[in-house]
Amino acid sequence: MKKILLLLATAYSLAACDDFFEKDISRETVNIVAPVHEAIVPEGEITFCWDILEGAQRYRLVVVTPSFDKANAAVCDLLIMPDSAAVSCAHTERLGAGNYEWSLWGLSSTGTGKESVYAISVSETTEGSD
């Protein structure tokens, strides 16, 4: 009887443990909300926004200029942990005029999702235009 109770207790513990049955995200990409690939946006604060990827515990956001192949500077390289109740996630960076590429992927304790790379152009804003 003790063996049966021990077996049932172990099975219940494993079934209740989310970490034991963590979703594999290695083939998953994060759904980007904004800015979309090849968007042209005005200089200033740019908000990078994406939907939560089921199974991802955090996200890596990298923004470079002008591109990953010819990067002159990394604007940001961040690990972002979303609120547990969130349905989307966002980060805001101040960008000057120029060309940029940004990438994003989900991370979990079992691995990483597929990286997505997007290009954006930031245009100068002109004061006093009619």
Side-chain angles (χ1 to χ4, degrees):
M1 183 67 174
K2 287 182 183 178
K3 288 183 181 180
I4 293 173
L5 289 175
L6 182 60
L7 183 60
L8 288 173
T10 302
Y12 176 76
S13 295
L14 292 176
C17 181
D18 288 338
D19 291 336
F20 188 78
F21 297 106
E22 188 170 314
K23 181 179 178 181
D24 176 16
I25 64 168
S26 63
R27 295 183 179 160
E28 305 289 329
T29 56
V30 178
N31 182 48
I32 300 303
V33 176
V36 296
H37 183 56
E38 297 183 345
I40 300 172
V41 297
E43 68 183 337
E45 291 193 351
I46 310 299
T47 299
F48 299 89
C49 187
W50 59 94
D51 291 333
I52 294 294
L53 174 64
E54 183 182 345
Q57 297 161 337
R58 57 195 182 282
Y59 300 87
R60 184 160 183 201
L61 171 67
V62 179
V63 180
V64 299
T65 183
S67 68
F68 283 103
D69 291 340
K70 300 174 185 174
N72 289 334
V75 176
C76 77
D77 185 350
L78 301 169
L79 284 177
I80 299 169
M81 297 182 72
D83 182 322
S84 61
V87 293
S88 65
C89 206
H91 174 75
T92 301
E93 281 290 325
R94 179 168 285 285
L95 300 179
N99 294 316
Y100 296 84
E101 281 189 343
W102 65 287
S103 67
L104 181 74
W105 61 97
L107 302 157
S108 73
S109 63
T110 60
T112 63
K114 289 184 176 181
E115 179 181 17
S116 298
V117 177
Y118 305 91
I120 60 170
S121 294
V122 178
S123 63
E124 284 188 29
T125 55
T126 54
E127 300 286 327
S129 296
D130 290 344

